[in-house]
Amino acid sequence: MDITVSGEGSVLVAPDTLRLYAGVEVRRASAGEAFAAVRAAAARLGEALRQAGIAPDDLSTSELSLGPEYESYPKVSAYRAAQGLEIVVRDIGRGDHVIDTVVGVGEEARLHGVAFEVAEPGPALAEARARAFRQAAAKAAQYAELAGRPLGRVVEVREDTGGPPRPLRRTAPQTMAAESEPSLSPGRQSLTVHVTLGYEFA
């Protein structure tokens, strides 16, 4: 192998899927009361989300905790229990409605954040891959010309396998969404591919 070059290709895409992190939290005098109350609140939340059109496969438990809170150690003032849910909303336009559904469960409801994703990144990644290859090939052609040697065949192609970047979790609204205008702004994501090409001189 006589020349090794790298290339990068990026494509901007609009996310089409919302991942909402939510849950319920309670405080009670005893551990048993706290755990029973949080399970009941979680059941109400799950049923409300299903009534809002969220498929059971798009709901998954992301947190389950129970522990004491101290007035002054070792005196326990209460027991805190929490159960978290990761909710996949496959229509971003319904995001505010789903958030309102969570808040509507009552004072136990909690919102922890949102993330936006591209459900089918394959076509965008294919374009990014083509751009990365073209960039690397152009570099190889330039180096061959500078070296005064004819460029031969490609003998190695290597792609970095980190996968498409996942957006950072963002803070979710803590109040009911306004009816007149969506409160969520998904923006756009940059999907990037890095490739390394190895060439022989002809």
Side-chain angles (χ1 to χ4, degrees), residues 94-144:
R94 300 187 67 248
D96 282 330
H97 175 64
V98 175
I99 290 172
D100 289 350
T101 298
V102 174
V103 175
V105 167
E107 64 181 12
E108 300 95 340
R110 299 291 183 271
L111 295 171
H112 303 302
V114 298
F116 297 100
E117 301 175 1
V118 179
E120 298 293 339
L125 286 172
E127 175 59 26
R129 192 172 291 117
R131 293 181 183 184
F133 191 97
R134 289 195 296 267
Q135 185 187 87
K139 287 182 183 179
Q142 182 182 17
Y143 281 124

Side-chain angles (χ1 to χ4, degrees), residues 1 7 12 21 23 26 29 32 52 54 85 98 102 104 110 112-113 121 128 136 157 162 168 170 183-185 197:
M1 187 164 54
L12 288 175
Y21 302 91
V26 301
I54 302 297
L85 272 181
V98 175
V102 174
R110 299 291 183 271
H112 303 302
V157 179
L168 294 176
R170 307 183 186 182
S183 65
L184 302 173
S185 301
L197 304 182

Side-chain angles (χ1 to χ4, degrees), residues 43-101:
R44 293 199 309 274
L45 175 58
E47 179 59 26
L49 289 167
R50 285 187 288 271
Q51 291 292 327
I54 302 297
D57 288 346
D58 289 333
L59 296 173
S60 59
T61 301
S62 59
E63 176 195 4
L64 183 62
S65 62
L66 171 66
E69 293 186 344
Y70 297 98
E71 180 178 321
S72 59
Y73 188 83
K75 184 178 180 181
V76 175
S77 60
Y79 285 84
R80 171 191 174 275
Q83 186 163 335
L85 272 181
E86 186 173 314
I87 307 157
V88 179
V89 183
R90 301 193 181 277
D91 178 0
I92 287 181
R94 300 187 67 248
D96 282 330
H97 175 64
V98 175
I99 290 172
D100 289 350
T101 298

